[in-house]
């Protein structure tokens, strides 16, 4: 007898439909064979399915069982095929008489028949929605994650025997209540607040512009100036997550198994801070089974690279394409997979190995050649792709020891209100292009949406001649100016906005 159960396979961030065909032959020696390019985890499903069926009180047929995972040319990885294979065996052996053509079945089995957590539930639930399936059967621990998908009945399955009784109509499994994004969004608590940062008013302004427009930022200053603290306070002023952004990010965390236990959706922007000893594969992604790296885990969030020059040169150069395109393509002999990587890069660097170069109160102990070699670790193409360049000097003594009651510093909540308002303006303007922030605009979109007056063009012409700006830097300045105008609720870009944007560009005497 032949049975068909539908499941899915994840390829990159997307899922494709997999048909699990189970045939039990009346003749031949007893055997259990799985075909369709299964990996080791799928091959071992034979023993898990055999034990789960027996321990659930059903009979495992001692016959020739053939399981085909179609399409046959697509590699099948992971244990999510355990439950559909077990269901197919029960149907093909005649122990269960039901119709499962309108349902997608996913789950890993324990030997006692209970369902375990399975990675990649959200992409598979989205596949069920797009393929017009009426229902999706998933492990009970993952039902909340799948219930985020609208117009889909999600059935939480805790044991194989429960699924058997559901299809036998002896004990129905009730669908999980739909999970709404508005119900999941909560006010996050942050480790640092902008009110905790003493001084550094220009740096705070640069961070506000970066958060509002999604512009990359490079901080250069001596140790103890507050570069790390400012960077870790940045999440507290980032604009609120939209539902579309949350789904994009959650898909990445779901397939990599990084979704926090008990969470169904990533509701706050990621903050990733890999150590400078991170490998190129760890940062960009890859491996024999290509998985997302840190830049994809920071999608729609922040990637903070402290001690920027200490990263290996090959690792930094690998950031060029993702910074420019907002995605990374990992090519292997078996094929190529593209992962999204639209992150806000915040890089922090010392001016020299000792960190005191250019400091008026401390003496630099580095030789000129050592300073030059240290600064040359960051290549010109990487620097040209970073929007905002900021010198962060040491905090003056009077700022550092000021009495708390003598001055009221602006909180992150107040800054975030302005950032949210500016991001709403930009997302409304860019909605026709499917974009969220000004940094994502292409050259053509800058020309269409960012009108410059004669005075602005004259100022830009002078800047190109004196600062030797590249074409990329020219358009980045216009994007930054558009963000500054949004923060000021201005419909037009003025020369004042251009002038402020020019202050954040790389200086001529920099490397």
């Amino acid at each position: 007898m032949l049975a068909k159960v539908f499941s899915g396979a994840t390829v990159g961030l997307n899922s494709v439909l997999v048909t699990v065909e189970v045939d039990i032959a009346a003749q031949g020696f007893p055997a259990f064979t799985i075909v369709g390019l299964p990996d080791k985890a799928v091959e071992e499903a034979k023993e898990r399915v055999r034990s789960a069926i027996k321990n659930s009180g059903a009979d495992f047929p001692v016959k020739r069982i053939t399981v085909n995972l179609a399409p046959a040319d697509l590699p099948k990885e992971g244990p999510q095929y355990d439950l559909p294979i077990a269901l197919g065996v029960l149907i093909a052996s005649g122990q269960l008489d039901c119709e499962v053509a309108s349902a997608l079945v996913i789950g890993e089995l324990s030997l006692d028949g209970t369902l375990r957590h399975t990675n990649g539930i959200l992409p598979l639930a989205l596949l069920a929605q797009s393929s017009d399936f009426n229902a999706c059967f998933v492990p009970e621990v993952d039902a909340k994650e799948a219930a985020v998908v609208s117009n889909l009945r999600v059935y939480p399955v805790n044991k194989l025997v429960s699924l058997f009784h559901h299809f036998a109509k002896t004990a129905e499994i009730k669908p999980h209540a739909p999970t709404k994004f508005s119900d999941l969004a909560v006010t996050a608590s942050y480790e640092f607040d902008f009110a905790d940062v003493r001084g550094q008013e220009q740096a705070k302004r640069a961070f506000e512009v970066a958060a509002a427009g999604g512009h990359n930022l490079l901080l250069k200053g001596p140790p103890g100036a507050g570069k790390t603290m400012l960077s870790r306070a940045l999440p507290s002023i980032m604009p609120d997550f939209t539902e579309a952004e949350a789904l994009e990010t959650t898909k990445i965390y779901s397939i990599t198994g990084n979704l926090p236990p008990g969470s169904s959706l990533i509701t706050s922007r990621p903050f990733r801070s890999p150590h400078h000893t991170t490998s190129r594969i760890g940062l960009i992604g890859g491996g024999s089974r290509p998985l997302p790296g840190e830049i994809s885990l920071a999608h729609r969030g922040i990637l903070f690279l402290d001690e920027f020059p200490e990263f290996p040169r090959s690792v930094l150069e690998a950031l060029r394409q993702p910074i420019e395109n907002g995605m990374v393509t990992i090519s292997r002999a078996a094929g190529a997979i593209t992962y999204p990587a639209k992150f806000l890069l915040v890089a922090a660097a010392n001016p020299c190995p000792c960190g005191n170069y250019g400091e008026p109160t401390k003496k630099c102990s580095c030789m000129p050649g050592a300073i030059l070699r240290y600064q040359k670790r960051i290549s010109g193409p990487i620097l040209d792709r970073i929007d905002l360049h900021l010198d962060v000097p040491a905090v003056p003594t009077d700022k550092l020891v000021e009495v708390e009651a003598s001055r009221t510093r602006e909180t992150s909540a107040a800054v975030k209100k302005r950032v949210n308002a500016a991001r709403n303006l930009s997302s409304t303007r860019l909605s026709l292009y499917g974009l969220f922030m000004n940094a994502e605009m292409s050259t053509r979109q800058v020309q269409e949406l960012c009108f410059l007056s004669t005075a602005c063009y004259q100022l830009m012409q002078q800047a190109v001649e004196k600062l030797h700006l590249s074409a990329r830097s020219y358009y980045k300045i216009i994007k930054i100016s558009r963000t500054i105008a949004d923060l000021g609720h201005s419909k037009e870009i003025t020369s004042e906005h251009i002038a402020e944007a020019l202050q954040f560009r790389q200086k001529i005497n920099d490397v």
Side-chain angles (χ1 to χ4, degrees), residues 469-490:
L469 299 177
S470 65
R472 180 186 289 113
S473 296
Y474 174 84
Y475 285 104
K476 281 187 178 296
I477 289 173
I478 298 178
K479 295 178 188 178
I480 297 169
S481 303
R482 181 63 265 176
T483 300
I484 295 172
D486 289 339
L487 285 168
H489 303 283
S490 174

Side-chain angles (χ1 to χ4, degrees), residues 24-42:
I24 300 180
Q27 298 177 346
F29 290 104
F32 195 170
T33 307
I34 299 178
V35 297
L37 292 182
D39 71 344
K40 188 65 175 177
V42 181

Side-chain angles (χ1 to χ4, degrees), residues 8 14 70 81 117 179 181 189 209 222 302 304 323 328 338 463 478 489 491:
N14 299 315
Y81 304 104
H117 163 72
T179 304
F181 176 74
S189 59
V209 174
I302 301 164
F304 176 47
I323 291 176
V328 58
T338 298
I478 298 178
H489 303 283
K491 294 183 179 180

